[in-house]
Amino acid sequence: MIRKIALAVLLAVSGTEVRAADSFQVEDIEIRGLQRVALGAALTHIPFNVGDTLNKFRISQSIKSLYKSGHFNDITVYREGNRLVYRVRERETISEIIFDGNKDLKDEQLIESLDGNNIRVGETLDRTVISGIEMGLEDFYHSVGKYNADVKTEITHLPRNRVNIKFVFNEGDAAAIKQINIVGNELFTDAELLEDFELTSDSPWWNFMAQDRYQKQTLQGDMEKVESYYLDRGYLRFAVDSTQVSMTPDKEKVYITMNVTEGEQYTISGVDFVGNMAGFESTIRALNPIRPDKLYNGALVTYTEEMISKFLGRFGYAYPKVTTIPEINDDDKTVKLSISVDPGKRIYVERINFQGNDVTADRVLRREMRQLEGAWLSNSQVEGSKLWLQRLPYIESVEFETNQIPGEDDLVEVDFTVKEQPSGSFTAGVGYGSTTKLSLNAGIQQNNFLGTGNQLGLSVNTVSYSRSAQISYTDPYFTVDGISLGGQIFYNQFDAGSANLVQYNNKTYGVGLNLGFPIDEYIRLNFGVGYKHNGITQLQTYEQIARFYEIYADPNDPDGGLEFKNFDLNAGISRVTLNRGTFPTAGSSQRLNVKMTTPNSDVQYFKVNLDTKWYFPLSNDQKWTVLTRFRAGYGNGYGTVDGNDQILPFWENFRAGGSETLRGFETNIVGPRAIFRYPVCVPGSPDPAAGGNVCLSPDQDIIDVSQRSVGGNAMILGGVELIVPTPFLDESYASSVRTSLFVDVGNVWDTEFNIDDYADLPEDQFDLLADFSDIGRFRSSAGLSVQWISPMGPMIFSFAKAIREEPGDDTSFFSFNIGKTF
């Protein structure tokens, strides 16, 4: 009886009831209460079979085994004769997980955390884990200063032993920092030490960018900044002794106190290198920037370690260990630095893998690799490979990691993960101006045709002033050496009168072929040949083209059209160091191109174009970047025709204005205007019988200046943009949307124009003219631009205000364009 009572007490403590004698031979085992768990699955956790002799110990072991299976919340065991009966209550199955009130923590983060604790839909519910999750979430909120935060779990029971779990969050506001105190500092004031702090206290209401809410992780970073501040100035014994964070009773404000010991300054007595430097000892010593008799500088020591590691990483030593060991002499306040170098084994790349390229073929990405398979792993070559991949216009982002091959300590695989972006674009534009009215255009450009990396363009565009069709194709790797080959066939009808230009129609068709040759990683040479046929009709002659028209017009048919057959040669050089092909944030690009027609062409002329862009990141994450742009062009004729010097054909003139050149101005509106000169004639004739008019001398002529531009043979455009994070936009869209504040400046002028040719005009007429050869007649504008890489292609929305304009300029506040980004 005593033994039975003792056994009953033992089982009662563990929540289990057992009625059994000391030992007996079990004739049957029964489990009652099973719903979801199969009988066979439950029996596998009972460590004995029918016919075995049992005692209380073996029964208690079976209870523990069933609990350990994770299927049951409660187990009761009792004996019916020699039959052993288990009555169980299964754990509930999770039917749904709901989050309510969470703002700081996204649903995805919470689901990932719960999944790590085996709390997921379809699994059984372990109630013991729930309380731990609640405490962990509250600890997180406390770490970001939300001491009033509260997390509660609501469990709703459903039929068939199912439950819904609802996590209810009451986050509250983070405690504001009332004051930050530093105790123990005598060498530097609190203001000097707190200047670089991310946390601030008592910020004014208008400084909405200030971080005046307490966060534990941010405070830890600020403490490291204080330590670095002293170490960089030679205070080698500096230490943060303690940090106290005290709250007000309402838990809405905190006081932060840091206790520091400054110590004294230490001077470097010497620098030595120890260990194996893989044969680069002389180079490493030469690269060392640390000099004796200088104050100890912690930042310089860290920089030296990183520089040596990167240097060794270029030659296959991917995992070097570089450690600086200080030998401090407190007597004379000096420190000797011993830099220990262990390069480790040279690592080789067995394989380069690509992931995420659902459209682009592996070989297209592989040809951009600077890191080669079978060669040693070079950090500079891998980074270079990433950079070249990012420059592809159909790649949005690139990440890579090196993974050691199991069982091999000197072989790795390099895994590149790319994120593709739309490689084709539907180029379109819509706009409205007082002169051009509604304009539309459309076309298709594929930069990654069938995943080959080749460019195919098929466009049929129509706007109020132009109709064109073009087919172009470019293979950037026509040879394995990176020589590119491209060509195009085009047709265009241009109505200048509808494009803010003086009236003429130009029907053009032609073909072109070009080759590109790489000089090095960044520089390419390009050469091309082409044929173009121009047919000019409905030409409204004006002063600036009178000489050109007189050379080529048929005197027997002055109203007839003009036709020109020209063969052109072009050569160019480009240098590109941009970090991305689309939306770059660092690096630069420069392009210089020269085009000239051959001497056997109907018109002999040349044009020179320079286009350069520089990106200067202002922050480490490159979300704030300054872009500077400069573009210049010049053209003129060469040779003579019938004793007359050739000039640049008017249809080749430079133009400015619009979303791609000078935002804030209507398309092509910037530049010289057409001058029309009319003689003054009066009725009468020296011969009264003949009748007719008599025209006065040229110094009495009347001048009319058009409101439309004719372009010029010289152009300068420039601009500055501040690229900023797009407000109210999710971080996941940062690589496809760009916002910038810009200032555009530029002018188009005619170097062949001479205002003195009109000096004989009456003063009231001469005053109507402007000096169209004056480079100083520049225009400028400022505004906001938003660019979006949409599924149809790049879209640009610009809001611009003209700052400086000339009389007659037509301005435009809003412009919208599809197909090209800055």
Side-chain angles (χ1 to χ4, degrees), residues 66 94 164 226 295 321 336 392 460 508 524 607 713:
L66 285 171
I94 300 173
N164 284 347
V226 173
L295 286 176
K321 296 179 181 178
K336 179 182 178 182
L392 297 175
V460 177
T508 307
R524 291 183 67 89
K607 290 181 74 174
N713 71 329

Side-chain angles (χ1 to χ4, degrees), residues 481-600:
D481 298 324
I483 295 177
S484 62
L485 174 65
Q488 62 276 340
I489 303 174
F490 58 89
Y491 174 84
N492 178 262
Q493 288 184 354
F494 180 72
D495 180 5
S498 299
N500 288 332
L501 301 170
V502 172
Q503 178 61 48
Y504 70 87
N505 290 345
N506 185 4
K507 182 182 294 185
T508 307
Y509 59 84
V511 296
L513 183 70
N514 53 76
L515 285 168
F517 299 87
I519 301 302
D520 58 24
E521 292 285 280
Y522 308 107
I523 300 176
R524 291 183 67 89
L525 294 178
N526 298 281
F527 301 95
V529 296
Y531 167 77
K532 182 185 292 185
H533 178 277
N534 292 91
I536 308 297
T537 58
Q538 298 184 24
L539 176 62
Q540 184 180 6
T541 57
Y542 49 93
E543 284 289 302
Q544 289 97 318
I545 66 166
R547 182 159 57 93
F548 180 87
Y549 183 75
E550 291 170 357
I551 294 174
Y552 295 100
D554 183 356
N556 298 319
D557 185 13
D559 296 327
L562 304 176
E563 289 193 5
F564 302 92
K565 299 176 181 179
N566 296 318
F567 300 89
D568 61 69
L569 304 173
N570 60 78
I573 183 171
S574 63
R575 178 180 181 273
V576 180
T577 62
L578 300 175
N579 63 338
R580 291 197 193 98
T582 304
F583 288 166
T585 56
S588 66
S589 70
Q590 297 82 38
R591 303 180 189 275
L592 176 65
N593 187 73
V594 179
K595 181 181 79 170
M596 66 175 295
T597 57
T598 59
N600 64 327

Side-chain angles (χ1 to χ4, degrees), residues 257-326:
T257 303
M258 296 175 57
N259 299 283
V260 303
T261 299
E262 294 178 318
E264 298 186 36
Q265 286 181 310
Y266 284 75
T267 303
I268 298 173
S269 60
V271 182
D272 194 14
F273 289 87
V274 297
N276 175 18
M277 281 167 274
F280 299 106
E281 181 174 356
S282 58
T283 304
I284 291 175
R285 288 184 180 274
L287 292 174
N288 173 36
I290 303 174
R291 296 291 178 263
D293 300 325
K294 298 290 185 179
L295 286 176
Y296 176 86
N297 187 316
L300 188 58
V301 171
T302 302
Y303 167 77
T304 303
E305 294 174 347
E306 293 176 350
M307 180 185 62
I308 295 173
S309 297
K310 289 181 179 179
F311 174 79
L312 292 172
R314 294 174 56 189
F315 299 97
Y317 299 98
Y319 308 109
K321 296 179 181 178
V322 183
T323 307
T324 302
I325 305 169

Side-chain angles (χ1 to χ4, degrees), residues 315-319 343-349 371 375-378 402 404 408-413:
F315 299 97
Y317 299 98
Y319 308 109
K345 278 194 172 184
R346 177 170 276 179
I347 306 300
Y348 293 84
V349 177
Q371 172 68 60
W376 66 57
L377 176 65
S378 170
T402 57
Q404 203 156 9
E408 303 289 344
D409 59 357
D410 60 349
L411 292 178
V412 297
E413 289 186 345

